[in-house]
Amino acid sequence: MERVLLDYGSGGKASHRLIGELFLKYLGNEILDRLDDAAFLHIGSPISMSTDTFTVDPIFFPGGDIGSLAVHGTVNDVAMLGARPKYMTCGFIIEEGLPMADLERIVESMGNAAREAGVLVVSGDTKVVPKGTVDKIFINTTGIGEIFVAEAPSGHRAAPGDAILISGFMGDHGLAILSKREGLTFEAPVLSDCASLNHLIVRLLEAIPEVHVLRDPTRGGLATTLNEIAGQSGVECRIFESQIPVRPEVSGGCSFLGLDPLYLANEGKFICILPQEHAEAALAIMRSDPLGADAVQIGNVRGEHPGKVVLETPLGGTRLMDMLEGEQLPRIC
Amino acid sequence: MERVLLDYGSGGKASHRLIGELFLKYLGNEILDRLDDAAFLHIGSPISMSTDTFTVDPIFFPGGDIGSLAVHGTVNDVAMLGARPKYMTCGFIIEEGLPMADLERIVESMGNAAREAGVLVVSGDTKVVPKGTVDKIFINTTGIGEIFVAEAPSGHRAAPGDAILISGFMGDHGLAILSKREGLTFEAPVLSDCASLNHLIVRLLEAIPEVHVLRDPTRGGLATTLNEIAGQSGVECRIFESQIPVRPEVSGGCSFLGLDPLYLANEGKFICILPQEHAEAALAIMRSDPLGADAVQIGNVRGEHPGKVVLETPLGGTRLMDMLEGEQLPRIC
């Protein structure tokens, strides 16, 4: 079986072959094909720019792989500012000895994800490092997009009276990774929800530019992301436990592993906070898209406890949902 | 001694402390301080965009460290397209257990390098991975800048009759890394040349917009980079061995290690290819800057052997300088 050698990252002939035969095959376009030190791009200002490094273990998991995840993750972060993601760079760090077939599968998956999201990969970098100095493959993606709303959504804009919506079930990605890593099998297999949300976001914001906050609850999950928003905006996020959609198999898996699904990573969901009077219209748009089919309102923004996330239990009690100190779930994305 | 724990990469409280107390301390600015998923940026089109991942070993070396190198490398790639680098993202992958003092030294060094280059770090990402899954720290930087010349320099634009200039001594970075890694000491210690070239590039292009090609000869060195240009432009690059500046200590170290300095990485030098009639003016501008003090013309572009780099030896013979198959010098940048 052919494997990735150190030579492939040298900048010499072997590198150029790898770029030509593999990267350009799946990611190529008029801009990338020029292979200059930097890409020459046209873009309208203002722009949204975001970076993310993916170290997920395992690199192939139910519902996706590190390649598609690396595209989805950055597309989503760029889109959350009210932007159309346009261009992306990819930085690969590959462990010497990685099977070439694995690399090809990952790069092909990136190409498909980028095409679906409508994003061009315009510049890249490949480092191959000696066996043992990185685990298999890590990928950085950095994206830019054109902001098309007059006032960009931001974690700083949540206001008392706003509704808090989420686009679907919580915790799928986190549990899919953990169950694969731990070798657990459930009756109904849990798939990662990883997906690019940009087309749905564009439709939502074109119809309802009044959206205050868009955020994807990735690392740290819904609870951590709402804490960030509550802190940035100086408001209370009040959510209702019975309204938060969690699949029974995720809920069951979490009980078994001693985890809370509200702290588990999602990679194809978003939180939308907007004035209550626009909530129904926003939910209708979200539900018209397969990626938002299970969208619901889970709470609202209040002024009572600034910086806090308060969970109302089904019995009417309340509980503070603090940010955790750490998660002890490394390499979830 | 305090060390980086997995918790610091979790997205929870520990992550937020690390971001607040370390990253924002050295890299903070109005844009980064907002800590949204993406940065909101104003920039003029067209733009130049480039990405690079740094895996250099050792992380501290004579003349620099992985932090300053990560800034210089991407600033230079962005600038080579005739652009003013403006914004940069940073993606950190940190091995659990890295001394916090090392991380702080690296981030402080990045902050200083970014300030000198006039670039803002606007978005970032930090992953901490379990001990043994990455070697100490790897850093991705991705930059964007505004292209200010009517026709951007490109590896595709070299034309017969052009002069080939370089901005100074070849091989310093490569030999500095290798000598530190191998524990070699020379009478005169060799320092990495790593530096941001953008201010010099701007002055050069404002005075002489007729420049055809700018390229920094990093991985693979002068020989590999000229081969890329010769291939992209379909021309011959003819260079004169006696004109190529190499420090005696680099030349001596290379003899000892069995290496050719023309294939060693540089991190603060650039190749400039432009019509011969502008060569003297370009050299005068380059020499007026400490980063180009030793600039010289090393050859010219011809039509005879398209895609080839031909070296004329001091005795008048010629030798083909091919691209190497691989380099076997991993983790040089």
Side-chain angles (χ1 to χ4, degrees):
Chain A
M1 181 172 44
E2 204 193 346
R3 291 179 179 274
V4 178
L5 308 174
L6 282 176
D7 278 352
Y8 288 116
S10 67
K13 280 185 186 173
S15 290
H16 286 78
R17 271 204 308 277
L18 184 71
I19 290 168
E21 292 171 15
L22 201 149
F23 292 114
L24 293 185
K25 177 176 171 191
Y26 293 109
L27 306 176
N29 56 66
E30 218 176 46
I31 301 169
L32 186 66
D33 294 353
R34 289 184 65 82
L35 296 180
D36 269 320
D37 278 353
F40 181 103
L41 307 173
H42 289 280
I43 192 160
S45 191
I47 67 168
S48 165
M49 182 174 197
S50 189
T51 192
D52 218 335
T53 307
F54 296 85
T55 63
V56 67
D57 171 38
I59 56 177
F60 301 104
F61 49 82
D65 57 69
I66 191 171
S68 56
L69 180 63
V71 172
H72 298 316
T74 287
V75 162
N76 291 344
D77 280 346
V78 169
M80 295 300 148
L81 224 57
R84 285 189 182 85
K86 244 185 122 166
Y87 302 117
M88 181 177 283
T89 61
C90 299
F92 296 90
I93 310 171
I94 305 170
E95 184 180 24
E96 174 190 17
L98 182 78
M100 191 62 82
D102 284 357
L103 180 61
E104 179 151 11
R105 190 172 152 201
I106 290 165
V107 176
E108 182 175 11
S109 169
M110 294 186 83
N112 292 337
R115 229 179 335 275
E116 279 165 34
V119 169
L120 293 181
V121 173
V122 293
S123 194
D125 176 60
T126 306
K127 296 287 188 302
V128 181
V129 295
K131 206 163 173 59
T133 53
V134 80
D135 184 25
K136 297 187 215 45
I137 182 169
F138 291 172
I139 302 176
N140 175 280
T141 50
T142 304
I144 56 176
E146 294 169 342
I147 294 175
F148 62 94
V149 287
E151 226 182 328
S154 159
H156 298 261
R157 292 183 58 209
D162 282 356
I164 303 176
L165 319 179
I166 54 172
S167 63
F169 291 99
M170 291 290 102
D172 294 2
H173 177 74
L175 199 76
I177 298 295
L178 285 174
S179 56
K180 170 92 181 180
R181 201 191 291 169
E182 307 294 333
L184 302 177
T185 47
F186 302 106
E187 237 172 283
V190 178
L191 302 185
S192 166
D193 58 351
C194 74
S196 287
L197 298 162
N198 55 317
H199 300 308
L200 172 53
I201 295 291
V202 168
R203 288 201 295 121
L204 177 65
L205 289 177
E206 280 183 344
I208 309 173
E210 292 85 357
V211 168
H212 286 160
V213 183
L214 290 176
R215 236 352 134 71
D216 53 339
T218 54
R219 257 191 304 180
L222 178 69
T224 302
T225 308
L226 287 178
N227 267 287
E228 289 172 359
I229 296 167
Q232 288 180 315
S233 295
V235 296
E236 174 190 335
C237 291
R238 172 75 60 120
I239 54 176
F240 303 97
E241 194 169 8
S242 60
Q243 305 300 316
I244 303 170
V246 179
R247 294 180 201 280
E249 53 270 36
V250 170
S251 167
C254 279
S255 299
F256 182 78
L257 293 165
L259 296 167
D260 182 337
L262 304 191
Y263 289 91
L264 280 189
N266 309 278
E267 292 288 348
K269 300 287 159 44
F270 65 99
I271 299 167
C272 172
I273 300 180
L274 80 178
Q276 182 68 54
E277 66 262 34
H278 298 292
E280 273 313 310
L283 287 171
I285 293 168
M286 289 158 78
R287 289 173 185 152
S288 73
D289 189 300
L291 294 175
D294 303 295
V296 286
Q297 177 162 353
I298 58 164
N300 47 55
V301 178
R302 306 188 182 189
E304 280 86 334
H305 305 95
K308 303 293 182 195
V309 178
V310 178
L311 182 80
E312 283 198 17
T313 63
L315 295 175
T318 62
R319 176 157 77 80
L320 199 65
M321 292 221 69
D322 204 358
M323 205 180 274
L324 300 184
E325 172 62 21
E327 264 203 301
Q328 304 291 20
L329 298 178
R331 304 187 61 190
I332 208 79
C333 59
Chain B
M1 181 172 48
E2 205 194 342
R3 291 177 181 275
V4 178
L5 309 175
L6 282 177
D7 277 351
Y8 288 117
S10 67
K13 281 186 186 173
S15 289
H16 285 79
R17 272 203 307 279
L18 183 72
I19 290 167
E21 290 170 16
L22 202 149
F23 292 114
L24 293 185
K25 177 176 169 190
Y26 293 109
L27 306 176
N29 56 66
E30 218 176 45
I31 301 168
L32 186 65
D33 294 352
R34 289 183 65 83
L35 297 179
D36 269 320
D37 277 354
F40 181 103
L41 305 173
H42 289 280
I43 193 161
S45 191
I47 67 168
S48 165
M49 182 174 196
S50 189
T51 192
D52 218 335
T53 307
F54 296 85
T55 63
V56 66
D57 170 38
I59 55 177
F60 301 105
F61 49 81
D65 57 70
I66 191 171
S68 57
L69 180 63
V71 172
H72 297 317
T74 287
V75 161
N76 291 344
D77 281 346
V78 170
M80 294 301 149
L81 224 59
R84 285 188 184 85
K86 243 184 124 166
Y87 302 117
M88 181 178 283
T89 60
C90 299
F92 295 90
I93 309 171
I94 305 171
E95 184 181 23
E96 174 190 18
L98 183 77
M100 191 59 84
D102 284 358
L103 180 60
E104 179 151 12
R105 191 172 151 200
I106 289 165
V107 176
E108 182 176 11
S109 168
M110 293 187 83
N112 292 337
R115 230 178 334 273
E116 279 165 34
V119 169
L120 293 182
V121 173
V122 293
S123 194
D125 175 60
T126 305
K127 296 287 189 299
V128 181
V129 295
K131 207 163 172 60
T133 52
V134 80
D135 185 23
K136 296 189 216 45
I137 181 169
F138 292 172
I139 302 175
N140 175 280
T141 51
T142 304
I144 57 176
E146 292 169 343
I147 294 175
F148 63 93
V149 287
E151 227 183 328
S154 159
H156 297 261
R157 292 183 57 208
D162 282 355
I164 303 175
L165 319 179
I166 54 171
S167 63
F169 291 100
M170 291 289 102
D172 294 3
H173 177 75
L175 199 75
I177 297 294
L178 285 174
S179 55
K180 170 91 180 181
R181 199 189 293 169
E182 307 293 333
L184 302 177
T185 48
F186 303 106
E187 237 171 284
V190 178
L191 302 184
S192 165
D193 57 352
C194 72
S196 287
L197 298 162
N198 55 318
H199 301 306
L200 172 53
I201 296 291
V202 168
R203 289 201 293 123
L204 177 66
L205 289 177
E206 281 183 343
I208 309 172
E210 294 85 357
V211 167
H212 286 161
V213 183
L214 290 177
R215 238 347 137 73
D216 53 339
T218 54
R219 258 190 302 181
L222 178 68
T224 302
T225 308
L226 286 178
N227 266 287
E228 289 172 359
I229 297 167
Q232 288 179 312
S233 296
V235 296
E236 174 189 334
C237 291
R238 172 73 61 119
I239 54 176
F240 304 97
E241 193 169 9
S242 60
Q243 305 300 315
I244 302 170
V246 178
R247 294 181 201 279
E249 53 271 34
V250 170
S251 165
C254 280
S255 300
F256 183 79
L257 293 164
L259 298 167
D260 183 336
L262 304 190
Y263 288 91
L264 280 189
N266 309 277
E267 291 289 347
K269 300 288 159 43
F270 65 98
I271 299 167
C272 171
I273 300 180
L274 79 180
Q276 181 68 52
E277 66 263 34
H278 297 292
E280 273 312 310
L283 287 172
I285 292 169
M286 290 159 78
R287 289 173 184 152
S288 72
D289 189 300
L291 294 175
D294 304 295
V296 286
Q297 177 163 354
I298 58 164
N300 47 56
V301 178
R302 306 186 182 189
E304 279 87 333
H305 305 94
K308 303 292 182 195
V309 178
V310 178
L311 182 80
E312 284 199 16
T313 64
L315 295 174
T318 60
R319 176 157 77 81
L320 198 65
M321 291 222 69
D322 204 357
M323 204 179 277
L324 299 184
E325 172 62 20
E327 265 203 299
Q328 307 289 22
L329 299 178
R331 303 188 61 188
I332 208 78
C333 60

